Amino acid sequence: IAGITQAPTSQILAAGRRMTLRCTQDMRHNAMYWYRQDLGLGLRLIHYSNTAGTTGKGEVPDGYSVSRANTDDFPLTLASAVPSQTSVYFCASSGSFDGGTQYFGPGTRLTVL
Amino acid sequence: SQQGEEDPQALSIQEGENATMNCSYKTSINNLQWYRQNSGRGLVHLILIRSNEREKHSGRLRVTLDTSKKSSSLLITASRAADTASYFCATGRDGNKLVFGAGTILRVKS
């Protein structure tokens, strides 16, 4: 693994279903983030974690939950998906040594029908 | 709500020309960063400028920051077709969190 990986690459999901997007980093970064990207809106922060064992809410947290059991993994769960959660989801991480630069995964394209 | 707003929304230039993108923000910041996103890919960090810096260079990139006007600009000199991408500014204010703008779509025609 080099950097950040996300899985799945894309997913089509029926409304009401539960879905977990996976994110793993191998850079030993303390902080990790989940964003959603919608056309014309840029990236919006959903949840973040400054260190393993802690999480925080971002700008658009409703309908999403996260956990940070260890340094490397930061899964994002949609408990009951709705069509408005159709988006591209990006996971990112940052260390404490380069001023807050964030490193992004390749993204997961999620469609909720 | 978005902290940074890029201008223009879209820019089309010829290869070899310079491209300038602007970013305005609303509140005080610790740093401002620029990222590039190629179609269908994740964002890639380009450059970070701290609030006490006014200008920074990295290769063909030049970033300026004017905290009194709450604005920044990204200049790409001698553009190449491979520079075609979306460019985002992001402001750092609260710990490690960033707030991104909506981006500028740059198209470099060869």
Side-chain angles (χ1 to χ4, degrees), chain A residues 31 33 35 37 40-43 45 48 50 57 59 90 94-95 98-102 104-106, chain B residues 1-2 31 33 35 37 40-45 48 50 88 94 96-103:
Chain A
Y33 315 85
Y35 295 91
Q37 184 177 31
L41 293 177
L43 277 77
L45 182 65
Y48 66 95
N50 286 329
K57 294 181 179 180
E59 181 185 351
F90 288 99
S94 67
D98 54 1
T101 298
Q102 293 189 11
F104 283 79
Chain B
S1 62
Q2 291 169 247
N31 65 68
Q33 303 180 32
Y35 288 79
Q37 183 181 34
R41 302 288 191 92
L43 279 71
V44 175
H45 179 259
L48 179 153
R50 301 186 190 281
F88 295 88
D94 178 11
N96 290 326
K97 291 186 288 185
L98 296 176
V99 179
F100 286 82

Side-chain angles (χ1 to χ4, degrees), chain A residues 30-87:
Chain A
N30 288 327
M32 297 187 74
Y33 315 85
W34 274 105
Y35 295 91
R36 58 178 290 173
Q37 184 177 31
D38 302 292
L39 194 63
L41 293 177
L43 277 77
R44 292 181 292 169
L45 182 65
I46 304 171
H47 285 288
Y48 66 95
S49 169
N50 286 329
T51 188
T54 69
T55 63
K57 294 181 179 180
E59 181 185 351
V60 289
D62 294 343
Y64 306 94
S65 64
V66 292
S67 62
R68 186 87 184 277
N70 57 60
T71 297
D72 298 344
D73 301 300
F74 191 42
L76 175 73
T77 298
L78 289 67
S80 180
V82 295
S84 61
Q85 292 177 311
T86 293
S87 188

